[in-house]
Amino acid sequence: GMEVAHRYVPVGDSVVGGDWYDIVPLSGGRAALIVGDAMGHGPEAAAVMVQLRTAAHTLADLELPPEEVLRRLDRMAAGITAAPFATCIYTVIDPSRGQCVAAQAGHLPPVLVQPNGAVRMLYLPPGLPLGLGAESFQATEISLPRGATLALYTDGLVESRTRTLDRGMAALRDALSSGLAGPGAALGKVCDVVTRDLRDHGEDDITLVLARIRP
C-alpha cells in the first residue's frame, strides 16, 4: 500500500557523516520510517549514528509509540559520554487508514505533497535533540490521502553557509511540488533530482526519504 524511495549523499569521499534512515515493516501493513542526524562529522558522529540507528530499529520492531521510541533513544544518547547531540523524526505510516503518526526530536519538519503538487510543511511539536535528557516528545496524527507523498530529510539538504534555512526550505518545497505534480511520478527519479538540485557545495551529508500512499 505504500511506495518508498530514498537517497543518501555523503559529504565527501573521505568524510564520514552522521545521517541515517531506516524503513521497518510493522504488523497490519504499517511501516516505521525513521530519519536521523548525529551532529558533526567524523568517526565520533558515525559511531553515535550507528548506535542510534540500531537501537531505533530494535525499538521499531517492538512497535512502541513514536514518542516512546524517542524517549528511549534520548536516554540512550544522554548516556553516551561526550557524544554529539542528534536529531530524529520517527513516523509510523498506515496506508490502509491513510494515516501517519509522527514525533520529532529537534528535527526539521516533514513535507506533505498532495497528488496535485500542492505542498505543505507539517510543523509538529519540535521536541529537543536526542542526548539532552529532556524526554519531551509529542506524537501528532497526520492524514495521508491516497496519492500523497511524505518527505523526510536532513538539514544538509536545505541549509549551508551560503544558503539560509528559509531559502533552502522554499527550494525544497518548489522541487518537490514540481517533481511530484504529475500522476505516477517515479519517486526514485524525484529523489535524484531533488538531491542533485539542492546539494550546495557538499558541506554536509544529505538524506531524503519519500513515502507515497498508493492511489
Side-chain angles (χ1 to χ4, degrees), residues 138-214:
Q138 300 178 46
T140 301
E141 290 189 5
I142 302 163
S143 176
L144 294 180
R146 292 191 179 277
T149 302
L150 187 70
L152 310 178
Y153 54 97
T154 54
D155 60 356
L157 186 64
V158 293
E159 189 175 24
S160 72
R161 286 178 295 180
T162 60
R163 181 175 59 202
T164 65
L165 179 59
D166 287 344
R167 285 179 54 204
M169 299 287 272
L172 176 61
R173 291 194 298 268
D174 290 345
L176 290 173
S177 176
S178 175
L180 294 168
L187 293 188
K189 182 176 180 181
V190 174
C191 278
D192 289 336
V193 171
V194 171
T195 52
R196 182 196 66 210
D197 291 352
L198 270 68
R199 189 179 188 189
D200 190 8
H201 303 300
E203 295 177 2
D204 199 359
D205 45 346
I206 290 171
T207 296
L208 174 65
V209 178
L210 301 179
R212 179 167 58 198
I213 305 299
R214 294 188 187 275

Side-chain angles (χ1 to χ4, degrees), residues 2 29-33 91-95 99-101 144 150 211 213:
M2 181 172 62
R30 300 172 302 140
L33 271 66
T91 69
V92 175
I93 297 178
D94 186 342
Q99 183 188 64
C100 171
V101 180
L144 294 180
L150 187 70
I213 305 299

Side-chain angles (χ1 to χ4, degrees), residues 60-152:
D61 279 338
L62 297 176
E63 304 204 6
L64 298 173
E67 66 274 23
E68 180 61 23
V69 170
L70 293 184
R71 288 189 191 105
R72 296 193 183 200
L73 291 176
D74 185 37
R75 289 197 292 268
M76 173 186 168
I80 301 175
T81 305
F85 299 131
T87 68
C88 184
I89 181 166
Y90 186 98
T91 69
V92 175
I93 297 178
D94 186 342
S96 65
R97 298 178 61 192
Q99 183 188 64
C100 171
V101 180
Q104 295 183 155
H107 206 79
L108 291 172
V111 180
L112 181 63
V113 187
Q114 301 290 350
N116 63 0
V119 177
R120 180 163 61 99
M121 306 298 297
L122 302 176
Y123 291 103
L124 314 178
L128 293 173
L130 303 175
L132 292 175
E135 301 188 14
S136 56
F137 309 110
Q138 300 178 46
T140 301
E141 290 189 5
I142 302 163
S143 176
L144 294 180
R146 292 191 179 277
T149 302
L150 187 70
L152 310 178

